[in-house]
Amino acid sequence: MIDRTRIGFETEATMAVIDGWRVKLFCQAIGEDDPVYRDPNAARAAGHPACPVPPTFLKAVEGDHFSSAQLMSLLRVPLRGVLHAEQSFDHLAPVYVGDQIEVSRKVADIFDKKNGAFTFIVVDTHYFRAGQAVANSRQTILVRNALEGT
């Protein structure tokens, strides 16, 4: 049974330093070949103080902080039947290699659909640099529930 008393649970904030090598590996993994993300000279030529991170890179930072698997364990959700259904990002300022980013996550909502066959868990993640918000994300996790008679 999913622990719905955890709606509103928020993790302690932790710090993460954006590592250039990790950004390069991330770009390789997703097929991103724009040199601005991996070459400091190309980044400066494009008007950046350092290499920016690709828009979805913050998902990797979120996982280092308090992963979705850790959240599912906290909520007593068996990982069998769990899908990453959706995630959106709201970028408020660029994030660069070398930045120190503070990350925190919050269980925003848990609700059912299809007469309990599916449970949706909504998790908000907040990213700050030097006290200023640089991004927010909203992740929706789908849990396929085993119902009696199915």
Side-chain angles (χ1 to χ4, degrees):
M1 194 74 175
I2 296 173
D3 185 358
R4 293 168 192 269
T5 66
R6 297 292 188 161
I7 295 172
F9 167 80
E10 191 161 359
T11 64
E12 293 287 327
T14 58
M15 295 297 286
V17 176
I18 305 300
D19 178 79
W21 178 248
R22 190 158 181 213
V23 172
K24 287 179 186 181
L25 291 176
F26 184 85
C27 287
Q28 287 176 341
I30 65 169
E32 176 58 69
D33 61 2
D34 187 339
V36 74
Y37 295 119
R38 62 182 188 284
D39 178 355
N41 292 326
R44 282 190 291 279
H48 299 286
C51 291
V53 301
T56 56
F57 178 79
L58 293 175
K59 175 65 178 162
V61 175
E62 159 194 301
D64 286 346
H65 162 70
F66 198 93
S67 72
S68 296
Q70 288 173 289
L71 277 175
M72 295 306 97
S73 177
L74 179 77
L75 298 172
R76 296 193 318 248
V77 175
L79 292 182
R80 176 185 43 90
V82 172
L83 297 170
H84 179 120
E86 176 179 67
Q87 187 153 10
S88 61
F89 289 89
D90 182 18
H91 296 277
L92 308 171
V95 175
Y96 298 101
V97 167
D99 284 353
Q100 289 191 9
I101 302 297
E102 182 181 277
V103 183
S104 65
R105 302 186 80 197
K106 181 178 183 176
V107 178
D109 199 6
I110 301 172
F111 60 92
D112 295 322
K113 286 194 174 184
K114 300 282 186 181
N115 296 320
F118 302 117
T119 300
F120 292 86
I121 301 167
V122 180
V123 181
D124 291 335
T125 304
H126 307 285
Y127 307 87
F128 291 85
R129 179 183 50 230
Q132 297 294 317
V134 293
N136 297 303
S137 75
R138 174 161 276 199
Q139 176 183 13
T140 303
I141 299 165
L142 167 64
V143 181
R144 295 176 297 178
N145 298 308
L147 300 177
E148 286 190 34
T150 60

